[in-house]
Amino acid sequence: DRRARERRAVELLRQVGIADPEARARAYPHELSGGMAQRVMIAIALACSPDLIIADEPTTALDVTIQAQIMDVLRDLCATGDTAVILITHDLGLVAEIATRVAVMYAGHVVEECPIRELYARPLHPYTRGLLASMPVLGANRETLAVIPGTVPTPVDLPPGCRFAPRCEARVEHGLAICEESAPDLLEVAPGHAVRCWLYQDGNGHRAPLPIGR
């Protein structure tokens, strides 16, 4: 009935941390701040008690304070309920803060997948290492940030081999011609750590003798 629906709406708004949910439940969207609107979206996603929430850039265009509040809501959902969250983001800081396992994607392919601590302690794929190297570090004085040369290929004109090969400095360093000829598989090279790169596998789909982490 209508009253039950209203009580449920207020309950959901309270769950995502909106102050005075009874009043906010009757507010128009333009009366809400960006952070409140994001919380309302999360409340809508929770309305059917899902097992999984896919959060695609949930903190885009929010200031750091509101961003932290939104991430607190998502973290609480994972900690106190039966809901899992897949976070899709380009912000590696958010990944480090909330994720337990991470998959790094490039041009539509997962190029590395592992527990979050493993990714930051021992990144393997050249693209992952490039991403981490481009992040500013608190307290470190750098004149320039590291960059990955080249541009991402368009989906209608993908390279024939590894999709990262045209931009990969490791390919040049190790003289791997196969990178431009054939796409590597996503191969587990350490327990729970998979990478799609010819540096870590041979042409038969087995681990290569190159030391992991090189």
Side-chain angles (χ1 to χ4, degrees), residues 149-208:
T151 58
V152 180
T154 65
V156 296
D157 188 26
L158 294 170
C162 172
R163 297 183 178 183
F164 187 63
R167 308 178 66 189
C168 184
E169 295 178 345
R171 171 188 64 82
V172 177
E173 178 185 349
H174 293 284
L176 295 175
I178 192 174
C179 297
E180 297 180 292
E181 301 168 357
S182 179
D185 296 322
L186 185 65
L187 181 70
E188 187 176 56
V189 295
H193 197 154
V195 62
R196 188 188 301 274
C197 181
W198 286 117
L199 284 173
Y200 307 99
Q201 57 186 282
D202 59 26
N204 298 315
H206 301 111
R207 279 180 51 182

CSV table of all heavy atoms in Angstrom, one decimal, residues 149-208:
chain,number,residue,atom,x,y,z
A,149,PRO,N,53.0,6.5,-23.9
A,149,PRO,CA,53.1,7.1,-25.2
A,149,PRO,C,51.9,6.6,-26.1
A,149,PRO,O,51.4,5.5,-25.8
A,149,PRO,CB,54.4,6.7,-25.8
A,149,PRO,CG,54.8,5.5,-25.0
A,149,PRO,CD,54.2,5.7,-23.6
A,150,GLY,N,51.6,7.3,-27.1
A,150,GLY,CA,50.6,6.9,-28.1
A,150,GLY,C,49.2,7.1,-27.6
A,150,GLY,O,48.9,7.8,-26.6
A,151,THR,N,48.2,6.5,-28.3
A,151,THR,CA,46.8,6.7,-28.0
A,151,THR,C,46.1,5.4,-28.0
A,151,THR,O,46.6,4.4,-28.6
A,151,THR,CB,46.1,7.6,-29.0
A,151,THR,OG1,46.2,7.1,-30.3
A,151,THR,CG2,46.7,9.0,-28.9
A,152,VAL,N,44.9,5.3,-27.3
A,152,VAL,CA,44.1,4.1,-27.3
A,152,VAL,C,43.6,3.8,-28.7
A,152,VAL,O,43.1,4.7,-29.3
A,152,VAL,CB,43.0,4.2,-26.3
A,152,VAL,CG1,42.2,2.9,-26.2
A,152,VAL,CG2,43.6,4.5,-24.9
A,153,PRO,N,43.7,2.6,-29.2
A,153,PRO,CA,43.1,2.3,-30.5
A,153,PRO,C,41.6,2.4,-30.6
A,153,PRO,O,40.9,2.1,-29.5
A,153,PRO,CB,43.6,0.8,-30.8
A,153,PRO,CG,43.8,0.2,-29.5
A,153,PRO,CD,44.2,1.4,-28.6
A,154,THR,N,41.0,2.7,-31.7
A,154,THR,CA,39.6,2.7,-31.8
A,154,THR,C,39.1,1.3,-32.0
A,154,THR,O,39.8,0.4,-32.5
A,154,THR,CB,39.2,3.5,-33.1
A,154,THR,OG1,39.6,2.9,-34.3
A,154,THR,CG2,39.8,5.0,-33.0
A,155,PRO,N,37.8,1.0,-31.5
A,155,PRO,CA,37.3,-0.3,-31.6
A,155,PRO,C,37.2,-0.9,-33.0
A,155,PRO,O,37.1,-2.1,-33.2
A,155,PRO,CB,35.9,-0.2,-31.0
A,155,PRO,CG,36.0,1.0,-30.1
A,155,PRO,CD,37.0,1.9,-30.8
A,156,VAL,N,37.1,0.0,-34.0
A,156,VAL,CA,37.0,-0.4,-35.4
A,156,VAL,C,38.3,-0.6,-36.1
A,156,VAL,O,38.4,-1.0,-37.2
A,156,VAL,CB,36.1,0.6,-36.2
A,156,VAL,CG1,34.7,0.7,-35.7
A,156,VAL,CG2,36.8,2.0,-36.2
A,157,ASP,N,39.4,-0.3,-35.4
A,157,ASP,CA,40.7,-0.5,-36.0
A,157,ASP,C,41.7,-1.0,-34.9
A,157,ASP,O,42.7,-0.3,-34.6
A,157,ASP,CB,41.2,0.9,-36.6
A,157,ASP,CG,42.5,0.7,-37.4
A,157,ASP,OD1,42.7,-0.4,-37.9
A,157,ASP,OD2,43.2,1.7,-37.5
A,158,LEU,N,41.4,-2.1,-34.4
A,158,LEU,CA,42.3,-2.7,-33.3
A,158,LEU,C,43.5,-3.4,-34.0
A,158,LEU,O,43.4,-4.0,-35.0
A,158,LEU,CB,41.5,-3.7,-32.5
A,158,LEU,CG,40.4,-3.2,-31.7
A,158,LEU,CD1,39.5,-4.3,-31.1
A,158,LEU,CD2,40.9,-2.3,-30.6
A,159,PRO,N,44.7,-3.3,-33.3
A,159,PRO,CA,45.9,-4.0,-33.9
A,159,PRO,C,45.7,-5.5,-33.9
A,159,PRO,O,44.9,-6.0,-33.1
A,159,PRO,CB,47.0,-3.5,-32.9
A,159,PRO,CG,46.2,-3.1,-31.6
A,159,PRO,CD,44.9,-2.6,-32.0
A,160,PRO,N,46.4,-6.2,-34.8
A,160,PRO,CA,46.2,-7.6,-34.9
A,160,PRO,C,46.7,-8.5,-33.8
A,160,PRO,O,46.1,-9.5,-33.5
A,160,PRO,CB,47.0,-7.9,-36.2
A,160,PRO,CG,48.0,-6.9,-36.3
A,160,PRO,CD,47.3,-5.6,-35.7
A,161,GLY,N,47.7,-8.0,-33.1
A,161,GLY,CA,48.2,-8.8,-31.9
A,161,GLY,C,47.7,-8.3,-30.6
A,161,GLY,O,46.5,-8.0,-30.4
A,162,CYS,N,48.6,-8.1,-29.7
A,162,CYS,CA,48.3,-7.5,-28.4
A,162,CYS,C,47.8,-6.1,-28.6
A,162,CYS,O,48.4,-5.3,-29.3
A,162,CYS,CB,49.5,-7.5,-27.5
A,162,CYS,SG,49.2,-6.6,-25.9
A,163,ARG,N,46.7,-5.7,-28.0
A,163,ARG,CA,46.1,-4.4,-28.2
A,163,ARG,C,46.9,-3.3,-27.7
A,163,ARG,O,46.8,-2.1,-28.1
A,163,ARG,CB,44.7,-4.4,-27.7
A,163,ARG,CG,43.8,-5.3,-28.4
A,163,ARG,CD,42.3,-5.3,-27.9
A,163,ARG,NE,41.5,-6.2,-28.7
A,163,ARG,CZ,40.2,-6.4,-28.6
A,163,ARG,NH1,39.5,-5.7,-27.7
A,163,ARG,NH2,39.5,-7.2,-29.3
A,164,PHE,N,47.8,-3.6,-26.7
A,164,PHE,CA,48.7,-2.6,-26.1
A,164,PHE,C,50.0,-2.5,-26.8
A,164,PHE,O,50.8,-1.6,-26.6
A,164,PHE,CB,48.8,-2.9,-24.7
A,164,PHE,CG,49.6,-1.8,-23.9
A,164,PHE,CD1,49.0,-0.5,-23.8
A,164,PHE,CD2,50.8,-2.0,-23.3
A,164,PHE,CE1,49.7,0.5,-23.1
A,164,PHE,CE2,51.5,-1.0,-22.6
A,164,PHE,CZ,50.9,0.2,-22.5
A,165,ALA,N,50.3,-3.4,-27.8
A,165,ALA,CA,51.6,-3.5,-28.4
A,165,ALA,C,52.1,-2.2,-29.0
A,165,ALA,O,53.3,-1.8,-28.8
A,165,ALA,CB,51.6,-4.6,-29.4
A,166,PRO,N,51.3,-1.4,-29.7
A,166,PRO,CA,51.8,-0.2,-30.3
A,166,PRO,C,52.3,0.9,-29.3
A,166,PRO,O,53.1,1.7,-29.6
A,166,PRO,CB,50.6,0.4,-31.1
A,166,PRO,CG,49.8,-0.8,-31.4
A,166,PRO,CD,49.9,-1.7,-30.2
A,167,ARG,N,51.9,0.7,-28.0
A,167,ARG,CA,52.3,1.7,-27.0
A,167,ARG,C,53.2,1.1,-26.0
A,167,ARG,O,53.6,1.8,-25.0
A,167,ARG,CB,51.0,2.2,-26.3
A,167,ARG,CG,50.0,2.8,-27.2
A,167,ARG,CD,48.7,3.2,-26.5
A,167,ARG,NE,49.0,4.4,-25.6
A,167,ARG,CZ,48.1,4.8,-24.7
A,167,ARG,NH1,47.0,4.3,-24.5
A,167,ARG,NH2,48.5,5.9,-24.0
A,168,CYS,N,53.6,-0.1,-26.2
A,168,CYS,CA,54.3,-0.9,-25.1
A,168,CYS,C,55.8,-0.7,-25.2
A,168,CYS,O,56.4,-1.2,-26.2
A,168,CYS,CB,53.9,-2.3,-25.2
A,168,CYS,SG,54.7,-3.3,-23.8
A,169,GLU,N,56.4,-0.1,-24.2
A,169,GLU,CA,57.9,0.1,-24.2
A,169,GLU,C,58.6,-1.2,-23.9
A,169,GLU,O,59.7,-1.4,-24.3
A,169,GLU,CB,58.3,1.2,-23.2
A,169,GLU,CG,57.7,2.6,-23.6
A,169,GLU,CD,58.1,3.7,-22.6
A,169,GLU,OE1,58.5,3.3,-21.5
A,169,GLU,OE2,58.0,4.9,-23.0
A,170,ALA,N,57.9,-2.1,-23.1
A,170,ALA,CA,58.5,-3.4,-22.8
A,170,ALA,C,58.7,-4.2,-24.0
A,170,ALA,O,59.6,-5.0,-24.1
A,170,ALA,CB,57.6,-4.1,-21.7
A,171,ARG,N,57.7,-4.1,-25.0
A,171,ARG,CA,57.8,-4.9,-26.2
A,171,ARG,C,59.1,-4.5,-27.0
A,171,ARG,O,59.8,-5.4,-27.5
A,171,ARG,CB,56.6,-4.6,-27.1
A,171,ARG,CG,56.7,-5.2,-28.5
A,171,ARG,CD,55.6,-4.7,-29.4
A,171,ARG,NE,55.6,-3.3,-29.6
A,171,ARG,CZ,56.3,-2.7,-30.5
A,171,ARG,NH1,57.1,-3.4,-31.3
A,171,ARG,NH2,56.3,-1.4,-30.6
A,172,VAL,N,59.4,-3.2,-27.0
A,172,VAL,CA,60.6,-2.8,-27.7
A,172,VAL,C,61.8,-3.2,-26.9
A,172,VAL,O,62.8,-3.7,-27.5
A,172,VAL,CB,60.6,-1.2,-27.8
A,172,VAL,CG1,61.8,-0.7,-28.5
A,172,VAL,CG2,59.4,-0.8,-28.6
A,173,GLU,N,61.8,-3.1,-25.6
A,173,GLU,CA,63.0,-3.4,-24.8
A,173,GLU,C,63.3,-4.9,-24.9
A,173,GLU,O,64.5,-5.2,-25.0
A,173,GLU,CB,62.6,-3.1,-23.3
A,173,GLU,CG,63.8,-3.5,-22.3
A,173,GLU,CD,63.3,-3.3,-20.9
A,173,GLU,OE1,62.3,-2.7,-20.6
A,173,GLU,OE2,64.1,-3.8,-20.0
A,174,HIS,N,62.3,-5.8,-25.0
A,174,HIS,CA,62.6,-7.2,-25.1
A,174,HIS,C,62.6,-7.7,-26.5
A,174,HIS,O,62.8,-8.9,-26.7
A,174,HIS,CB,61.6,-8.0,-24.2
A,174,HIS,CG,61.7,-7.7,-22.7
A,174,HIS,ND1,62.7,-8.2,-22.0
A,174,HIS,CD2,61.0,-6.9,-21.9
A,174,HIS,CE1,62.6,-7.8,-20.7
A,174,HIS,NE2,61.5,-7.0,-20.6
A,175,GLY,N,62.3,-6.9,-27.5
A,175,GLY,CA,62.3,-7.3,-28.8
A,175,GLY,C,61.3,-8.4,-29.2
A,175,GLY,O,61.6,-9.4,-29.9
A,176,LEU,N,60.1,-8.3,-28.6
A,176,LEU,CA,59.1,-9.3,-28.8
A,176,LEU,C,58.3,-9.0,-30.1
A,176,LEU,O,57.3,-8.3,-30.0
A,176,LEU,CB,58.2,-9.4,-27.6
A,176,LEU,CG,58.9,-9.8,-26.3
A,176,LEU,CD1,57.9,-9.8,-25.1
A,176,LEU,CD2,59.4,-11.3,-26.4
A,177,ALA,N,58.6,-9.7,-31.2
A,177,ALA,CA,57.9,-9.5,-32.4
A,177,ALA,C,56.5,-10.1,-32.3
A,177,ALA,O,55.5,-9.7,-33.0
A,177,ALA,CB,58.7,-10.1,-33.6
A,178,ILE,N,56.3,-11.1,-31.5
A,178,ILE,CA,55.1,-11.9,-31.4
A,178,ILE,C,53.9,-10.9,-30.9
A,178,ILE,O,52.8,-11.2,-31.2
A,178,ILE,CB,55.2,-13.1,-30.5
A,178,ILE,CG1,54.0,-14.0,-30.7
A,178,ILE,CG2,55.4,-12.7,-29.1
A,178,ILE,CD1,54.1,-15.3,-29.9
A,179,CYS,N,54.3,-9.9,-30.2
A,179,CYS,CA,53.3,-9.0,-29.6
A,179,CYS,C,52.4,-8.3,-30.7
A,179,CYS,O,51.3,-8.1,-30.5
A,179,CYS,CB,53.9,-7.9,-28.8
A,179,CYS,SG,54.8,-8.5,-27.4
A,180,GLU,N,53.0,-8.1,-31.9
A,180,GLU,CA,52.3,-7.5,-33.0
A,180,GLU,C,51.7,-8.5,-33.9
A,180,GLU,O,51.0,-8.1,-34.9
A,180,GLU,CB,53.3,-6.6,-33.8
A,180,GLU,CG,53.9,-5.4,-33.0
A,180,GLU,CD,54.8,-4.6,-33.8
A,180,GLU,OE1,55.9,-5.1,-34.1
A,180,GLU,OE2,54.5,-3.4,-34.1
A,181,GLU,N,51.9,-9.8,-33.7
A,181,GLU,CA,51.4,-10.8,-34.6
A,181,GLU,C,50.2,-11.6,-34.0
A,181,GLU,O,49.3,-12.0,-34.7
A,181,GLU,CB,52.5,-11.8,-34.9
A,181,GLU,CG,53.7,-11.1,-35.6
A,181,GLU,CD,54.9,-12.0,-35.7
A,181,GLU,OE1,54.8,-13.1,-35.1
A,181,GLU,OE2,56.0,-11.6,-36.2
A,182,SER,N,50.3,-11.8,-32.7
A,182,SER,CA,49.3,-12.7,-32.0
A,182,SER,C,48.9,-12.1,-30.7
A,182,SER,O,49.8,-11.6,-29.9
A,182,SER,CB,49.8,-14.1,-31.9
A,182,SER,OG,48.9,-14.9,-31.3
A,183,ALA,N,47.6,-12.3,-30.3
A,183,ALA,CA,47.2,-11.8,-29.0
A,183,ALA,C,47.4,-12.8,-27.9
A,183,ALA,O,47.1,-14.0,-28.1
A,183,ALA,CB,45.7,-11.4,-29.1
A,184,PRO,N,48.0,-12.4,-26.8
A,184,PRO,CA,48.2,-13.4,-25.7
A,184,PRO,C,46.9,-13.7,-25.0
A,184,PRO,O,46.0,-13.0,-25.1
A,184,PRO,CB,49.2,-12.7,-24.8
A,184,PRO,CG,48.9,-11.2,-25.0
A,184,PRO,CD,48.5,-11.1,-26.5
A,185,ASP,N,47.0,-14.9,-24.3
A,185,ASP,CA,45.8,-15.3,-23.4
A,185,ASP,C,46.0,-14.6,-22.1
A,185,ASP,O,47.1,-14.2,-21.7
A,185,ASP,CB,45.8,-16.8,-23.3
A,185,ASP,CG,45.5,-17.5,-24.6
A,185,ASP,OD1,44.7,-16.9,-25.4
A,185,ASP,OD2,46.1,-18.5,-24.9
A,186,LEU,N,44.8,-14.6,-21.3
A,186,LEU,CA,44.9,-14.2,-19.9
A,186,LEU,C,45.3,-15.4,-19.1
A,186,LEU,O,44.5,-16.4,-19.0
A,186,LEU,CB,43.5,-13.7,-19.5
A,186,LEU,CG,43.4,-13.1,-18.1
A,186,LEU,CD1,44.3,-11.9,-17.9
A,186,LEU,CD2,42.0,-12.8,-17.7
A,187,LEU,N,46.6,-15.4,-18.7
A,187,LEU,CA,47.2,-16.6,-18.1
A,187,LEU,C,47.5,-16.4,-16.6
A,187,LEU,O,48.1,-15.3,-16.3
A,187,LEU,CB,48.4,-17.0,-18.8
A,187,LEU,CG,49.2,-18.2,-18.4
A,187,LEU,CD1,48.4,-19.5,-18.7
A,187,LEU,CD2,50.5,-18.3,-19.1
A,188,GLU,N,47.2,-17.3,-15.7
A,188,GLU,CA,47.6,-17.2,-14.3
A,188,GLU,C,49.1,-17.5,-14.2
A,188,GLU,O,49.5,-18.6,-14.5
A,188,GLU,CB,46.8,-18.2,-13.5
A,188,GLU,CG,47.0,-18.0,-12.0
A,188,GLU,CD,46.1,-18.9,-11.1
A,188,GLU,OE1,46.2,-20.1,-11.3
A,188,GLU,OE2,45.4,-18.3,-10.2
A,189,VAL,N,49.8,-16.5,-13.8
A,189,VAL,CA,51.3,-16.7,-13.7
A,189,VAL,C,51.7,-16.8,-12.3
A,189,VAL,O,52.9,-17.1,-12.0
A,189,VAL,CB,52.0,-15.5,-14.4
A,189,VAL,CG1,51.7,-15.5,-15.9
A,189,VAL,CG2,51.6,-14.1,-13.8
A,190,ALA,N,50.9,-16.5,-11.3
A,190,ALA,CA,51.1,-16.7,-9.9
A,190,ALA,C,49.8,-17.0,-9.3
A,190,ALA,O,48.7,-16.7,-9.9
A,190,ALA,CB,51.8,-15.4,-9.3
A,191,PRO,N,49.7,-17.6,-8.1
A,191,PRO,CA,48.4,-17.9,-7.5
A,191,PRO,C,47.5,-16.7,-7.4
A,191,PRO,O,47.8,-15.7,-6.7
A,191,PRO,CB,48.8,-18.4,-6.1
A,191,PRO,CG,50.2,-19.0,-6.3
A,191,PRO,CD,50.8,-18.1,-7.3
A,192,GLY,N,46.4,-16.7,-8.1
A,192,GLY,CA,45.4,-15.6,-8.0
A,192,GLY,C,45.8,-14.4,-8.8
A,192,GLY,O,45.1,-13.4,-8.8
A,193,HIS,N,46.9,-14.5,-9.6
A,193,HIS,CA,47.3,-13.3,-10.4
A,193,HIS,C,47.5,-13.7,-11.8
A,193,HIS,O,48.3,-14.5,-12.2
A,193,HIS,CB,48.7,-12.9,-9.8
A,193,HIS,CG,49.1,-11.5,-10.3
A,193,HIS,ND1,49.9,-10.7,-9.5
A,193,HIS,CD2,48.7,-10.8,-11.3
A,193,HIS,CE1,50.1,-9.6,-10.1
A,193,HIS,NE2,49.4,-9.6,-11.2
A,194,ALA,N,46.6,-13.2,-12.7
A,194,ALA,CA,46.6,-13.5,-14.1
A,194,ALA,C,47.0,-12.2,-14.9
A,194,ALA,O,46.6,-11.1,-14.5
A,194,ALA,CB,45.2,-13.9,-14.5
A,195,VAL,N,47.6,-12.4,-16.0
A,195,VAL,CA,48.1,-11.3,-16.8
A,195,VAL,C,48.0,-11.7,-18.3
A,195,VAL,O,48.3,-12.9,-18.6
A,195,VAL,CB,49.5,-10.9,-16.4
A,195,VAL,CG1,50.5,-12.0,-16.6
A,195,VAL,CG2,49.9,-9.6,-17.2
A,196,ARG,N,47.7,-10.8,-19.2
A,196,ARG,CA,47.6,-11.0,-20.6
A,196,ARG,C,48.8,-10.3,-21.2
A,196,ARG,O,48.7,-9.2,-21.7
A,196,ARG,CB,46.3,-10.5,-21.2
A,196,ARG,CG,46.0,-10.8,-22.6
A,196,ARG,CD,44.8,-10.1,-23.2
A,196,ARG,NE,43.6,-10.3,-22.4
A,196,ARG,CZ,42.8,-11.3,-22.6
A,196,ARG,NH1,43.0,-12.2,-23.6
A,196,ARG,NH2,41.7,-11.5,-21.8
A,197,CYS,N,49.9,-11.0,-21.3
A,197,CYS,CA,51.2,-10.4,-21.8
A,197,CYS,C,52.2,-11.5,-22.3
A,197,CYS,O,52.4,-12.5,-21.5
A,197,CYS,CB,51.8,-9.5,-20.8
A,197,CYS,SG,53.3,-8.6,-21.3
A,198,TRP,N,52.8,-11.3,-23.4
A,198,TRP,CA,53.8,-12.2,-23.9
A,198,TRP,C,55.1,-12.2,-23.0
A,198,TRP,O,55.9,-13.2,-23.2
A,198,TRP,CB,54.2,-11.9,-25.3
A,198,TRP,CG,53.1,-12.3,-26.3
A,198,TRP,CD1,52.4,-11.5,-27.1
A,198,TRP,CD2,52.6,-13.6,-26.6
A,198,TRP,NE1,51.5,-12.2,-27.9
A,198,TRP,CE2,51.6,-13.5,-27.6
A,198,TRP,CE3,52.9,-14.9,-26.1
A,198,TRP,CZ2,50.8,-14.6,-28.1
A,198,TRP,CZ3,52.1,-16.0,-26.6
A,198,TRP,CH2,51.2,-15.8,-27.5
A,199,LEU,N,55.3,-11.3,-22.2
A,199,LEU,CA,56.4,-11.3,-21.3
A,199,LEU,C,56.3,-12.5,-20.3
A,199,LEU,O,57.4,-13.0,-19.8
A,199,LEU,CB,56.5,-10.0,-20.5
A,199,LEU,CG,57.0,-8.8,-21.1
A,199,LEU,CD1,56.8,-7.6,-20.2
A,199,LEU,CD2,58.5,-8.9,-21.5
A,200,TYR,N,55.1,-13.0,-20.1
A,200,TYR,CA,55.0,-14.0,-19.0
A,200,TYR,C,54.4,-15.3,-19.6
A,200,TYR,O,54.0,-16.2,-18.8
A,200,TYR,CB,54.0,-13.5,-18.0
A,200,TYR,CG,54.4,-12.2,-17.4
A,200,TYR,CD1,53.9,-11.0,-17.9
A,200,TYR,CD2,55.5,-12.1,-16.5
A,200,TYR,CE1,54.3,-9.7,-17.4
A,200,TYR,CE2,55.9,-10.8,-16.0
A,200,TYR,CZ,55.3,-9.7,-16.5
A,200,TYR,OH,55.7,-8.4,-16.0
A,201,GLN,N,54.4,-15.5,-20.9
A,201,GLN,CA,54.0,-16.8,-21.5
A,201,GLN,C,54.6,-17.0,-22.8
A,201,GLN,O,55.1,-16.1,-23.5
A,201,GLN,CB,52.5,-16.8,-21.6
A,201,GLN,CG,51.9,-15.7,-22.5
A,201,GLN,CD,50.4,-15.7,-22.4
A,201,GLN,OE1,49.7,-16.5,-23.1
A,201,GLN,NE2,49.8,-14.8,-21.7
A,202,ASP,N,54.7,-18.3,-23.2
A,202,ASP,CA,55.3,-18.6,-24.5
A,202,ASP,C,54.1,-18.8,-25.5
A,202,ASP,O,53.0,-18.6,-25.2
A,202,ASP,CB,56.1,-19.9,-24.4
A,202,ASP,CG,55.3,-21.1,-23.9
A,202,ASP,OD1,54.1,-21.2,-24.1
A,202,ASP,OD2,56.0,-22.0,-23.4
A,203,GLY,N,54.5,-19.2,-26.7
A,203,GLY,CA,53.5,-19.3,-27.8
A,203,GLY,C,52.5,-20.4,-27.6
A,203,GLY,O,51.5,-20.5,-28.4
A,204,ASN,N,52.8,-21.3,-26.7
A,204,ASN,CA,51.9,-22.5,-26.4
A,204,ASN,C,51.0,-22.3,-25.3
A,204,ASN,O,50.3,-23.3,-24.8
A,204,ASN,CB,52.8,-23.7,-26.2
A,204,ASN,CG,53.6,-24.1,-27.4
A,204,ASN,OD1,53.2,-24.1,-28.5
A,204,ASN,ND2,54.9,-24.4,-27.1
A,205,GLY,N,50.9,-21.1,-24.7
A,205,GLY,CA,50.0,-20.8,-23.6
A,205,GLY,C,50.5,-21.2,-22.3
A,205,GLY,O,49.7,-21.4,-21.4
A,206,HIS,N,51.8,-21.4,-22.2
A,206,HIS,CA,52.4,-21.7,-20.9
A,206,HIS,C,53.2,-20.6,-20.3
A,206,HIS,O,53.6,-19.7,-21.1
A,206,HIS,CB,53.3,-23.0,-21.0
A,206,HIS,CG,52.6,-24.2,-21.6
A,206,HIS,ND1,52.9,-24.7,-22.8
A,206,HIS,CD2,51.7,-24.9,-21.0
A,206,HIS,CE1,52.1,-25.8,-23.0
A,206,HIS,NE2,51.4,-25.9,-21.9
A,207,ARG,N,53.5,-20.7,-19.1
A,207,ARG,CA,54.3,-19.6,-18.5
A,207,ARG,C,55.7,-19.6,-19.1
A,207,ARG,O,56.3,-20.6,-19.3
A,207,ARG,CB,54.4,-19.8,-17.0
A,207,ARG,CG,53.2,-19.4,-16.2
A,207,ARG,CD,53.4,-19.6,-14.7
A,207,ARG,NE,54.7,-19.1,-14.2
A,207,ARG,CZ,55.1,-19.2,-12.9
A,207,ARG,NH1,54.3,-19.8,-12.0
A,207,ARG,NH2,56.2,-18.7,-12.5
A,208,ALA,N,56.2,-18.4,-19.4
A,208,ALA,CA,57.5,-18.2,-20.0
A,208,ALA,C,58.5,-18.1,-18.9
A,208,ALA,O,58.2,-17.9,-17.7
A,208,ALA,CB,57.5,-16.9,-20.8
